[in-house]
Amino acid sequence: MSELRDVKISGSGTIAGGEYNIVKISGSGKIDGDVRCKIIGISGSASIDGYIYTDELKISGSCKIIGDTKCEIGKVSGSATIEGNMSGKEIRISGGTKIAGSMNFNTIQISGSLTAGGDVEGENVIINGACKVDGLINGENIDIKLDGKSWSKELGGEKITISRGETYSLLKIFSKALRRGSFVCESIEGNEIDIEYTESSVVRGKNINIGAGCKIAKVEYYDTLDIHEDAEVGEKIKL
């Protein structure tokens, strides 16, 4: 059996889908069909008219993928649009990423903005920026540092932390007077919950800290409940 070959597009060009060793696209390139490879590296502008299955995914610049994307390790910077689902072991995203479907990785680290049409699930979900998730955000450890308006339908995990990000640049301070972050969802459920500037109909958990800027219609707790003087909480129920 022959070894898989490497393919490369420099400038402008198109390659057919198939099985490869290493795929590199720089400039403006297109893959016409599904692709399986060990490594795919995309810089500049690229479009993939199919799914990607790879050990290592590197995207910088602008990329659009029509199908599902599966990668063991992924790093995305710039702008990426995924028309399907994303899954694998570890994904690190900076810039702006839009996913029509769901995202499922062991570790998810977002810096910038994430838009997802489905669920976002992982053992560790770390978001530093803004997120718009139409489904559930679920993980063992969820840490969201807000910079802008964010929302999800539901939020569930072992340990959940929501706070305002502190990495504001001088440009943001003076030009936008600190663009403040907030998080809105229908329900939050976990064991250890520590949130601020969050609006939710229901928060349910073991130990709950409701911080500044929160508006919570109902809190259900098992052990402890602390409420900041600047928070608005309606019904409080000890389970």
Side-chain angles (χ1 to χ4, degrees), residues 118-187:
D119 298 334
V120 173
E121 298 183 85
E123 291 183 9
N124 295 292
V125 180
I126 302 168
I127 300 173
N128 191 345
C131 63
K132 300 175 182 178
V133 179
D134 291 341
L136 164 73
I137 298 178
N138 182 55
E140 291 294 314
N141 176 48
I142 299 173
D143 188 353
I144 301 175
K145 290 182 173 60
L146 301 166
D147 183 6
K149 294 183 178 179
S150 298
W151 73 77
S152 71
K153 185 176 181 181
E154 296 175 291
L155 193 60
E158 181 72 20
K159 182 179 180 181
I160 299 170
T161 304
I162 302 175
S163 62
R164 278 184 173 171
E166 297 178 354
T167 57
Y168 296 101
S169 67
L170 289 176
L171 178 62
K172 286 184 180 180
I173 292 174
F174 290 110
S175 66
K176 295 187 178 181
L178 288 180
R179 180 181 57 182
R180 293 302 190 182
S182 61
F183 191 88
V184 178
C185 68
E186 293 180 7
S187 67

Side-chain angles (χ1 to χ4, degrees), residues 24 52 57 61 68-69 80 105 109 125 140 175 190 201 208 218:
K24 290 186 178 180
I52 291 178
L57 171 69
D68 293 343
T69 300
F105 286 85
Q109 187 164 330
V125 180
E140 291 294 314
S175 66
S201 298
I208 301 176
K218 181 169 67 174

Side-chain angles (χ1 to χ4, degrees), residues 33-103:
D34 302 331
V35 61
R36 290 176 175 266
C37 59
K38 292 182 179 178
I39 300 172
I40 182 166
I42 298 170
S43 60
S45 175
S47 63
I48 293 88
D49 190 11
Y51 72 74
I52 291 178
Y53 187 91
T54 183
D55 292 339
E56 186 175 349
L57 171 69
K58 297 179 181 179
I59 298 175
S60 60
S62 176
C63 181
K64 182 175 182 180
I65 302 170
I66 299 300
D68 293 343
T69 300
K70 295 183 178 181
C71 59
E72 295 297 298
I73 303 296
K75 184 177 181 180
V76 180
S77 60
S79 174
T81 300
I82 316 296
E83 295 293 341
N85 304 305
M86 286 193 82
S87 62
K89 288 186 178 179
E90 181 179 336
I91 186 77
R92 297 179 184 274
I93 297 176
S94 59
T97 298
K98 295 181 179 180
I99 301 172
S102 298
M103 175 183 282

